[in-house]
Amino acid sequence: MTDSQVTPSFRLAYVPGVTPTKWVRIWNERRTDVPLTLVAVDPGEAFELLRGGGADAGFVRLPVDRTDLSAIPLYTETTVVVIPKDHVIAAVDEVTTEDLADEIVLHPLDDTLPWESLPGQAANERPATTADAIELVAAGVGVLAVPQSLARLHHRKDLTYRPLAEAPESRVALSWPEEATTDLVEDFIGIVRGRTVNSSRGRTQNPAADSAADRSKRKSPDKGGARRKPTAGKPTGKTGNTGKAGKSSKGGTPGKSTRSGSGGAAKGGKKGKPRRRP
């Protein structure tokens, strides 16, 4: 089988916390001829996977090295602090970084938050992964600041989380190798940007197909156009004013009755006999 006979496919990578379900569903509806394969990848390995051709595009967390990768920022996540349910912080609706001054704040090696300085007290060792840090929080060792999607991903019945104000936020983006911006990548970009299937910037499976509405707009009108309905009180160009009798009156004024009044004779007709004086 030659390369031209190989069935095309689209490989989409995604880091933990990102839910690509919506975009995958739209792809499957529009590109039934190209199957989409999801590739789960750790945040630290996502960019090398894209560079090595292991995926056509991927949902990653910023920052992205723009030297050889393109990226479209999509959304920014709320940062939360994960705590045990019986923790004193669980009593408030929102936490600030100052509230964590006396807490041991865990900092996993795969952390994606761009901290300038981590709040609270540092742990003796950094957990290898966010999942490991969650286990330590459940054991009462410390607390953990993460994007909200990761707190949901690692949900446990004995843990909860609260929004963390004044903390850096994680931004999710769609990224792909700049030199590998294929037609399939362009198709997926259109889906992510919310373009419709008939968008002039998007690509469709059958660009030559026209909707019935578009065809009707281009349809030529009948020769001579539609006949206009005559306006009341104006001549049609074929006959004069018909008056009450429905016939054109000789010498009559268009738009006016040919009768001079009640009992009066028509202009140009015979005069009636004068009345006698009493």
Side-chain angles (χ1 to χ4, degrees), residues 24 90 96 145 211:
V24 172
T96 66
S211 65

Side-chain angles (χ1 to χ4, degrees), residues 186-187 190 195-204 207:
E186 289 286 1
D187 284 344
R195 298 173 192 159
T196 63
V197 67
N198 293 322
S199 171
S200 59
R201 296 186 63 185
R203 298 175 62 253
T204 61

Side-chain angles (χ1 to χ4, degrees), residues 169-182:
E169 297 173 319
S170 177
R171 301 177 66 196
V172 174
L174 176 69
S175 183
W176 67 95
E178 185 175 356
E179 295 183 354
T181 309
T182 64

Side-chain angles (χ1 to χ4, degrees), residues 247-266:
K247 297 181 180 179
S248 175
S249 57
K250 188 175 180 180
T253 303
K256 295 184 179 180
S257 173
T258 57
R259 300 178 65 86
S260 61
S262 176

Side-chain angles (χ1 to χ4, degrees), residues 4-252:
S4 60
Q5 294 174 319
V6 175
T7 303
S9 62
F10 187 75
R11 296 160 300 171
L12 178 65
Y14 66 101
V15 296
V18 176
T19 306
T21 307
K22 175 181 67 175
W23 298 296
V24 172
R25 175 180 55 79
I26 297 174
W27 175 277
N28 290 335
E29 291 174 353
R30 295 185 184 179
R31 296 307 308 263
T32 56
D33 59 326
V34 181
L36 186 150
T37 303
L38 288 174
V39 181
V41 60
D42 292 333
E45 301 174 356
F47 301 120
E48 290 306 316
L49 179 73
L50 293 174
R51 292 188 176 100
D56 298 289
F59 291 110
V60 300
R61 295 186 184 275
L62 296 176
V64 172
D65 183 359
R66 301 299 183 97
T67 304
D68 57 346
L69 296 175
S70 297
I72 300 175
L74 300 178
Y75 58 90
T76 301
E77 287 198 66
T78 300
T79 301
V80 300
V81 57
V82 182
I83 51 177
K85 278 192 173 180
D86 58 355
H87 197 285
V88 63
I89 293 178
V92 299
D93 294 330
E94 186 179 73
V95 184
T96 66
T97 54
E98 293 181 358
D99 295 330
L100 305 178
D102 298 329
E103 301 290 337
I104 295 177
V105 179
L106 302 170
H107 190 202
L109 295 175
D110 64 354
D111 185 18
T112 59
L113 295 174
W115 294 102
E116 291 185 2
S117 60
L118 199 69
Q121 306 295 321
N124 293 331
E125 295 182 4
R126 294 183 63 182
T129 65
T130 298
D132 293 335
I134 291 289
E135 295 293 333
L136 293 176
V137 174
V141 175
V143 299
L144 174 66
V146 291
Q148 184 171 337
S149 65
L150 291 181
R152 291 174 175 173
L153 178 65
H154 297 287
H155 171 72
R156 290 175 53 123
K157 293 182 179 180
D158 54 346
L159 299 180
T160 187
Y161 60 85
R162 294 291 182 270
L164 181 59
E166 303 171 0
E169 297 173 319
S170 177
R171 301 177 66 196
V172 174
L174 176 69
S175 183
W176 67 95
E178 185 175 356
E179 295 183 354
T181 309
T182 64
D183 289 342
L184 293 180
V185 171
E186 289 286 1
D187 284 344
F188 195 77
I189 292 172
I191 290 173
V192 169
R193 287 187 179 276
R195 298 173 192 159
T196 63
V197 67
N198 293 322
S199 171
S200 59
R201 296 186 63 185
R203 298 175 62 253
T204 61
Q205 298 182 38
N206 187 10
D210 294 326
S211 65
D214 293 335
R215 290 196 298 269
S216 65
K217 289 180 181 180
R218 295 195 296 270
K219 192 173 182 180
S220 301
D222 295 335
K223 189 175 181 180
R227 181 172 295 178
R228 298 179 61 184
K229 190 175 182 179
T231 305
K234 294 184 179 181
T236 62
K238 294 183 178 181
T239 60
N241 186 275
T242 59
K244 290 185 178 181
K247 297 181 180 179
S248 175
S249 57
K250 188 175 180 180

